[in-house]
Structure formats: structure tokens, C-alpha cells
Amino acid sequence: MENLLNILKSKHEKLFLGGGIDKIEKHKKKGKMTAWERIVYLLDEDRPYVEIGAFAGDGMYEEQGGCPNGGVVVVMGYVKNRLCVIVSNDATVKAGAWFPITGKKNLRAQEIAMENHLPIIYLVDSAGVYLPMQEKIFPDKEHFGRIFRNNAKISAMGIPQISAIMGPCVAGGAYLPIMSDYALIVEGTGSVFLAGPYLVKSSIGEVVDNETLGGATTHCEISGVTDNKYPNDERCLDAIKNIVDKFGETDKNQFSRIASKEPEYPHTRIYKLLPEDRLKPYNMLDILKAIVDKSSLEEYKKDYGKTLICALARIDGWAVGIVANQREIVKAKKPGSTSEMQMGGVIYSDSADKAARFIMNCNQQKIPLVFFQDVTGFMVGSRSEHGGIIKDGAKMVNVMANSVVPKFTFIIGNSYGAGNYAMCGKAYDPRLIYAWPTAQIAVMSGASAGKTLLQIQETALKAKGVSLSEEEKNQLLSKIKQQYNAQLSPYYAAARLWVDGVIDPKETRKIISMGIEAANHNPNMEKYNVGVLQV
């Protein structure tokens, strides 16, 4: 774990460098703050914040020179005591141009603001769509245009939007700040126009400079497109603080909260409890006791369906319902037999049935749900099929998919196959979803996938009259496993925004607490209904 946390720390430190030291120096010579400096200046001092989408783009777009952090920093934090979402373009990465992952990350930021009714602040400094990849960012439903559609939806929901134009804001991207409630601009560095000087010249033959075409003076004194201009980044950010300071309070959801207590175990105990070998058992209850408030854990049906822990607890004072995979090996009777079997990390029919009932209880009682994933999937084999594992698994997925209380997911170990879905994977709308450095996410383990894919390739080769020697089989198996294992990495998932980031386990309590606080800002929780359940 120490090694994994050192890797995590090293990767985080690289993110703060954006496009590199040289690019940062050129950026600052223009009198501009970096993306992170702007965020730190805006946030309240000594208050926690949560980064969203860290490692987006990690290892992707290598042929284009990379796109660290997706070219944009997104955090959820406090501005003048008000919880906000902040989106800050990083102009040191390809001049802040939008790669496909940049669009996906911006949409994720807007989704979080919309789900939780949080004000959203855009610190705009972007050259627009990255033209060499325009077909992967421009025309589809979840592409660039969705940003502006969301601007309109957010406005209709009564959620405040503030934009600060702190660098170029070009073409379609110009709509984002102007569709906000407030549009501020920095003199000398900020500019906004549908077509820049080069395109204007080539289109209509007019020769015009940036400032005259769409600078601060033009838009504050002539067009009225922007509200006010400011001499530098700091004064513009001060104005944002002054605006947020005036926002009125909104109705709350009234999720239960009492005074917080420290957990029974320190967070460092987690590092010792989690085994390096992902197949080895451990007691998930010990992990939970290092996360939940001391003496608050109350198990539901603890002697039934033992491969899933369902429990009520408090985290930083907030009431939560916890669904967690139990990796400790316990004994259970085989269906239709008096003999016993060992089990751990697998979802059985009784576990799925228990979890479904528990999730329904939490929805009826307005208790947010937290999922801790370390699951290899549902139990397979004839006994399980005859026992109706598909029916019970479907029941669990049904109630979880229709759940209306806020859901938060942490992948702490394996996250394989349908187990990922049943335990509230990304497809099932968790408000926030994070992975620990120990996570592995895929349809199945690397070993199982390797053997399966090898069998498929062997069959295909035999059909062509080709047979493999044992040495060739081992070489092929090694190649398949190597490729597959690279995709199991939590950083592979974070790069593609399957998760909102990879975190040190000690951050878990903070993320859950701030996540529920954010969810508490949206009083319009849907009425809870479930579909047809095969009981």
C-alpha cells in the first residue's frame, strides 16, 4: 500500500504542472495565474475540497502530445461558505483546447452541479475545440454542444452560473460564458468572439486585432456582452467571491446529521488490513470501522447473506446506509445439501435479496447510500442457476437503479462483471465514484480473461489448420494477460472518467461528507418507485 500511495502522490504532483514548467512560465509572463492558482485563490482557506476527474486523459492522446488532467481542473469546494463547482481551463495544455476527454469532464462537472443544485463557476481560458480531433468532440449528443444545452438547463433550474473570461474564448465556446448569469472579463488577456482575427480576414477580408474584435473594452463598453472588466485575474476572482457572497439560501433535503465522531480505528489501519494479493480474504467490517463514526454501525440481517454487509451508520455525523462486499471467508450450506462451502467476494442469491430489501428501506427513510466494491461477480454454476441467481441479481439491480437517495461508490478492490453494476458502478448514477489505488475494474480478472481469450484464439487457429506448441500458447497467454492487466488499473479507469479519481483511502470520509452536503442542497428528490420485482 505504501508503494501504491507513493505512485498516487507522484501522479498528483505531475498534474499540478499541467503542460509542463516551460508552458507555465510562458503563461505567467502574460500576467495570468495558472488553473490551479485561480482555484486556490477562489476557495475559502482551510476548508476541504474534492477534485473531480483527476487523471482524466492519463496515458491517452500520446500521439498528440498528451492531455494531462483532460486540460481542465474541476473541484467541488467552498467559496464564501457556499459549496460550488469550479471549472478552470488549463491553458498550459494545448492552449486549453478541448480534447474529447475535456468535453466529457466538463459535462461531468455540469452533471454534478445539476444533480446537487450547486452554483457553478467557469474560469474560461481556452482556444476551443482541438481541431485535429474535431469529429470526436464536435457533433454527437455528449459532445461540445451539450455544454451549451446544459447551460440553458442549469439556468432554467435556477442554479447560478458565473463565468470569468481570463483568456481566449473562441467560436462555439463563446456561448458558455454568455449563457451564464454573470460574465466577467480580464483586460488584456480575456477575449471572446465567434471568429478570431485570422478567420475574419479569410472569411470577409476584414483586418482586425484581438482586442478591437472581442476584448474587454469592446464587450463591456460597446457590445454589452460582458458585465464588467478587471485589470487582472485576482481582481476578477475577487468579484466572483463578492457575487457568491450575496446568494440567498436554498431549501435543504434534511438528511439526518448529528455531531461527528472519529472512527474506531485510525485510517492507517486500512493500509495494513487490505492484502496485497487481491484473492486473499480480509474482514470488511474492520475497514468500515476505520471510516464510519465510532459506535454508529448497525448491521442489517448480519447472519443472512453473509457475502454482502448491509448496515446503517454515520459518517462525519451524516446518516448513511452501507452496502459492502465481504471478503472474509465464511462457511455456508450448499443449496440442497448439508455440506459446507467457502465463500467471499461473490454475490449469492441470499446476499442479493438482502441488499435489495436494505436499499428499499434506505429509500423509504431518506438515507443516502454508500457502496464499497470488492466483488468478483455473482455466483455461477448449475446450483446457483437452479436457485434463481439471475432473478435475485436482477432484483438487486432493479431497486438500486431506481434508487432516488444520493449514492456514493468506492471501488476498493475487484470490480468485475455484473458485480460492478449491482454495486452501483458508473452506469447507475452514483453522485460521486472513486477508486482506491488497490482497485481493479474489468469484466473479469486478468487470469480468467487470459485463459478465455486464449481458448477463443486457439479455436480460431485450429479452424485454419494451425496448432500451437505449449511455448507458443504461454507466449500468447502472457501477451494477452499483459494487455488486459494494463486495463485493470484504476488509473486506466480514471483516465476515461469511469471513476471520478483515484484517492488515498483516508480521503473517503471527506468525500462522502461533502457529497451528502452537496446532495442536501437539492430538495427536489424524486418519489421512490420500483419496477416489477420477481420475489
Side-chain angles (χ1 to χ4, degrees):
M1 178 63 86
E2 186 177 337
N3 182 49
L4 291 174
L5 291 176
N6 284 336
I7 292 170
L8 175 62
K9 182 181 178 182
S10 175
K11 280 180 165 287
H12 260 299
E13 287 172 351
K14 281 186 179 180
L15 291 184
F16 284 97
L17 296 177
I21 294 174
D22 290 345
K23 295 287 178 65
I24 289 175
E25 288 176 353
K26 290 179 183 177
H27 181 84
K28 292 177 80 69
K29 281 180 181 177
K30 298 175 184 176
K32 301 201 298 188
M33 302 168 78
T34 66
W36 269 110
E37 285 173 342
R38 289 165 177 165
I39 286 176
V40 171
Y41 189 93
L42 200 54
L43 290 172
D44 295 347
E45 288 186 29
D46 302 320
R47 297 291 301 275
Y49 69 86
V50 173
E51 186 177 1
I52 311 293
F55 308 114
D58 184 52
M60 298 168 68
Y61 315 116
E62 295 297 335
E63 291 182 4
Q64 290 79 24
C67 185
N69 214 6
V72 61
V73 184
V74 177
V75 302
M76 182 173 70
Y78 298 92
V79 178
K80 289 292 183 178
N81 269 336
R82 186 67 176 257
L83 202 53
C84 300
V85 175
I86 306 171
V87 181
S88 181
N89 293 120
D90 189 346
T92 70
V93 179
K94 299 289 185 184
W98 287 52
F99 282 68
I101 198 66
T102 315
K104 189 172 183 180
K105 187 168 177 178
N106 275 267
L107 287 170
R108 177 64 175 141
Q110 290 183 320
E111 179 183 40
I112 290 169
M114 293 166 82
E115 284 180 332
N116 300 294
H117 279 220
L118 297 181
I120 183 165
I121 300 167
Y122 308 98
L123 307 180
V124 184
D125 193 349
S126 171
V129 166
Y130 183 64
L131 290 178
M133 302 186 76
Q134 63 87 25
E135 83 283 2
K136 296 180 180 177
I137 181 61
F138 168 65
D140 209 348
K141 180 179 178 180
E142 300 295 334
H143 283 178
F144 196 59
R146 190 78 171 181
I147 301 291
F148 318 129
R149 175 264 189 195
N150 284 354
N151 284 142
K153 290 288 186 182
I154 291 169
S155 180
M157 293 169 72
I159 300 170
Q161 297 178 89
I162 303 173
S163 284
I165 302 164
M166 314 183 89
C169 186
V170 187
Y175 288 111
L176 184 146
I178 311 311
M179 293 183 75
S180 298
D181 301 290
Y182 299 89
L184 318 179
I185 190 167
V186 178
E187 293 180 280
T189 56
S191 59
V192 56
F193 31 63
L194 291 180
Y198 292 117
L199 185 53
V200 168
K201 184 179 180 181
S202 65
S203 298
I204 63 173
E206 181 184 0
V207 178
V208 62
D209 62 77
N210 257 19
E211 199 62 28
T212 304
L213 182 64
T217 299
T218 294
H219 285 311
C220 286
E221 298 181 16
I222 300 173
S223 72
V225 165
T226 52
D227 303 337
N228 289 307
K229 58 185 178 181
Y230 302 89
N232 53 45
D233 284 7
E234 289 87 348
R235 298 293 75 78
C236 187
L237 295 170
D238 286 338
I240 292 174
K241 292 180 184 181
N242 281 333
I243 292 169
V244 174
D245 186 47
K246 311 303 185 296
F247 290 164
E249 281 297 319
T250 57
D251 293 335
K252 296 292 195 298
N253 229 323
Q254 301 301 321
F255 295 120
S256 172
R257 192 181 196 186
I258 61 174
S260 175
K261 292 182 182 178
E262 288 298 310
E264 183 176 342
Y265 300 151
H267 72 264
T268 51
R269 184 150 181 180
I270 294 173
Y271 307 152
K272 298 174 183 178
L273 289 170
L274 270 179
E276 184 178 357
D277 184 346
R278 300 305 311 121
L279 297 176
K280 285 187 177 178
Y282 62 90
N283 191 343
M284 179 65 83
L285 283 170
D286 290 333
I287 300 285
L288 295 179
K289 287 177 182 177
I291 296 172
V292 307
D293 293 7
K294 186 176 181 179
S295 303
S296 68
L297 196 73
E298 183 66 34
E299 277 196 78
Y300 172 78
K301 292 182 179 285
K302 68 177 182 178
D303 296 320
Y304 179 74
K306 292 185 177 182
T307 60
L308 274 180
I309 294 170
C310 295
L312 297 175
R314 289 193 181 271
I315 294 177
D316 196 25
W318 292 105
V320 296
I322 293 173
V323 182
N325 299 110
Q326 175 60 288
R327 289 302 302 266
E328 185 177 49
I329 295 180
V330 294
K331 291 181 178 181
K333 299 290 184 184
K334 290 182 180 179
S337 171
T338 56
S339 61
E340 293 181 328
M341 58 184 176
Q342 305 290 317
M343 60 186 190
V346 180
I347 301 176
Y348 286 74
S349 284
D350 55 356
S351 304
D353 177 70
K354 176 172 83 169
R357 292 166 182 263
F358 180 73
I359 291 168
M360 286 192 285
N361 282 355
C362 289
N363 273 273
Q364 287 180 339
Q365 293 139 26
K366 292 183 68 173
I367 302 173
L369 285 160
V370 183
F371 295 82
F372 290 95
Q373 289 194 15
D374 191 355
V375 57
T376 52
F378 285 88
M379 189 58 189
V380 297
S382 60
R383 284 192 178 92
S384 293
E385 298 294 358
H386 296 170
I389 186 68
I390 296 175
K391 175 187 69 177
D392 292 312
K395 186 193 308 181
M396 180 178 174
V397 170
N398 185 321
V399 298
M400 193 269 298
N402 284 296
S403 174
V404 296
V405 295
K407 304 188 292 288
F408 305 90
T409 301
F410 296 86
I411 303 170
I412 74 173
N414 302 325
S415 180
Y416 297 156
N420 171 283
Y421 302 156
M423 292 294 292
C424 198
K426 185 64 182 288
Y428 291 83
D429 300 320
R431 294 292 178 97
L432 296 170
I433 176 170
Y434 284 87
W436 289 4
T438 44
Q440 294 187 339
I441 306 163
V443 172
M444 61 184 76
S445 69
S448 298
K451 291 174 184 176
T452 303
L453 292 169
L454 177 62
Q455 289 175 25
I456 293 169
Q457 291 201 26
E458 270 192 287
T459 302
L461 289 170
K462 280 181 181 178
K464 297 176 181 178
V466 180
S467 59
L468 298 175
S469 66
E470 284 302 314
E471 184 179 351
E472 288 172 327
K473 286 180 186 179
N474 289 333
Q475 288 177 348
L476 184 57
L477 180 60
S478 176
K479 183 180 177 181
I480 292 170
K481 285 174 66 176
Q482 187 176 1
Q483 180 182 356
Y484 197 87
N485 284 333
Q487 296 177 1
L488 286 170
S489 164
Y491 297 105
Y492 189 91
R496 289 151 183 81
L497 290 176
W498 301 345
V499 296
D500 290 319
V502 183
I503 60 164
D504 186 321
K506 71 180 181 182
E507 300 290 306
T508 305
R509 265 175 69 88
K510 177 189 76 174
I511 289 170
I512 294 169
S513 179
M514 288 188 67
I516 298 175
E517 183 181 348
N520 211 33
H521 282 75
N522 182 0
N524 304 317
M525 199 163 71
E526 297 174 46
K527 184 179 178 183
Y528 181 58
N529 292 301
V530 293
V532 176
L533 293 179
Q534 297 284 346
V535 295

